[in-house]
Amino acid sequence: MAPLWICLLLACLPAGVLAEEPLWNLSVPSAIGELTMTPDGSYVLTNGERLCFLTGNGTVLWTECSAEMTDCSADGRSIAAARGQQLTLFARNATVLWRDDLDSDTVDLALSSDGTRLVVADLPGRVHFFNADGTLRATVDTRGDPDDDEKNDHRSWISDIALSEKGTYAAVISSRGLFYYTGNGRKLWAHEDELEGGTAVAVSGTGDEIAAASDAGVRLLNRTGALLWEYKSHRPVTALALSSNGSRVLAGSQDNTLICFDRGGEQLWTFTAGGWIRDVAVSENGSHVLAGSMDGQAYLFDGEGQVLKTYPLDGWVDHVALTADGTAGVAASSHEIIGFSTTVPVSLPAPAAEVQTTTVITTASPTTPTAVATTTAVPTAVPAPDPKEGVGLPLLLVGLLIGGVVLGAGYLHRRRSSLPEVRVVEEGSERSASSTEIPLVLEEEEPVASWEAFMEQGKTREAAQIISQQMLVLVGVRTGAHIFTTADALDACPGQRHDLAAFFAAADRLGYALEPPDVREVEALAAAYLHIAERMG
């Protein structure tokens, strides 16, 4: 019966501990047009028929009316959105900071990482440079000179805008060529009529490197506009990314291939998917790459091009994004968004068979819900793994199983004003062979790191995130339901739905606050955890 209770209780583990599963997913009724993630992974922004602002764990903070183009600052404090001729800048709490109506429909926009500069392109081919307060600094025109009789076509269809860090430089690619400006709208240089159908542009953090994609291939230029190298492709380039440090250029095309180049133009690795590459993202130093394909898969690579994970979605994977350090990512199809960690689980060594089972559970970090330090053998009720099958995965599953149960159950039996630190000992000898429950004895000895440890270090945001994650685990343990998101927790506990909704809202506010929350606020969150745990009985 051991395999049975393992399978049953694995459903109670925190989301993301199994490599092939996302941390969270969210279905939306309207089509998703764009996907943005802040560099630290705290917030996610989508647009389409509804503008949706989420926390990094998939909790919806607010939705607004439709938006066709969106972008947000690195801290999530400013959100720019455009629909038709209307341009809006929202605050993080959905308050409208300002609105402006352009003369023509907007086709693209970009907001600087610090939120101080907003660059907007319109349908005729003009580019508008705004300050954070909505003041228009400059308007430039990428169209040809209408008085030039040698040019019969003076139109300029702008495809993409990219900004360097803090918006010091702005690159614009259109049907007429590639243009480079300062953040205030002063033209530095232009390569007109040199690109065959420009499709995408990317700029490094310093603005020293500019990658441009077209129907004919990929180019890398320096800040003066000099061509560093060029790659000719057989099919149009459909996805482009440039690492912030300028060391990696990623290009995906209609021939289903993804190519990684270094700064010198050398091809480091290639990958062939089962469909067109729709979007690609790269971490700041190129250590992780995420690509979405028309084959319905999101592919996660390491810096050497090895596939670490694949995530299936319900349709073409049109949009992907990674954090700056590459530790987390998001991907979206037309109606589904998933979030995941890029950390790959490591198999634990096999312990000695004669040692009694004792597992100490520690909380490692907000992004890794549980860390399991195993100091003993596999429980006697679990058969020893076959050497031919390997020992790492079975042992890891057992450790994770106990961890998931303990993080919830340990706190359920405490009535103090702060969450206790516990050591868990399993009494396998008293368990019936047919039982699916694991009796636990909770002891106060040998306290281990917990939310309180982060509090002592002044990391109040991380402490709040840990308490929130432990609530998800607790709900899963007490209800036996599959808990991956806060919505799952609310559905599993209709009697405590109101209290849980208030708890998770407070946890998200504290855990993703711009400034570290006050200690007393986190202690109040811990007290709310205990109150709900007691009511769940």
Side-chain angles (χ1 to χ4, degrees), residues 453-465:
F454 284 98
M455 292 280 279
E456 293 174 358
Q457 300 172 27
K459 299 179 178 179
T460 51
R461 273 188 301 239
E462 289 82 351
Q465 292 177 34

Side-chain angles (χ1 to χ4, degrees), residues 351-377:
E354 65 273 14
V355 181
Q356 294 297 319
T357 301
T358 303
T359 303
V360 180
I361 307 301
T362 66
T363 303
S365 71
T367 56
T368 305
T370 60
V372 182
T374 303
T375 60
T376 60

Side-chain angles (χ1 to χ4, degrees), residues 412-462:
L412 180 61
H413 300 282
R414 295 295 188 270
R415 297 173 179 268
R416 296 184 299 184
S417 62
S418 63
L419 298 179
E421 298 169 331
V422 300
R423 178 175 175 231
V424 182
V425 178
E426 181 181 345
E427 297 181 334
S429 60
E430 297 182 5
R431 182 170 59 87
S432 168
S434 61
S435 174
T436 61
E437 298 181 352
I438 304 177
L440 300 172
V441 175
L442 304 178
E443 301 179 353
E444 295 282 323
E445 302 172 4
E446 300 183 17
V448 296
S450 70
W451 70 281
E452 290 179 335
F454 284 98
M455 292 280 279
E456 293 174 358
Q457 300 172 27
K459 299 179 178 179
T460 51
R461 273 188 301 239
E462 289 82 351

Side-chain angles (χ1 to χ4, degrees), residues 159-222:
S159 302
D160 198 13
I161 299 174
L163 299 181
S164 64
E165 190 172 354
K166 297 184 180 180
T168 307
Y169 299 97
V172 178
I173 194 167
S174 79
S175 59
R176 289 196 62 85
L178 179 64
F179 304 83
Y180 206 51
Y181 304 92
T182 66
N184 294 325
R186 181 170 62 87
K187 185 176 179 179
L188 296 176
W189 51 262
H191 293 299
E192 297 185 55
D193 303 318
E194 294 184 12
L195 296 177
E196 298 179 19
T199 56
V201 67
V203 180
S204 64
T206 61
D208 290 336
E209 294 87 12
I210 303 96
S214 69
D215 291 343
V218 181
R219 292 181 175 187
L220 187 69
L221 304 94
N222 65 18

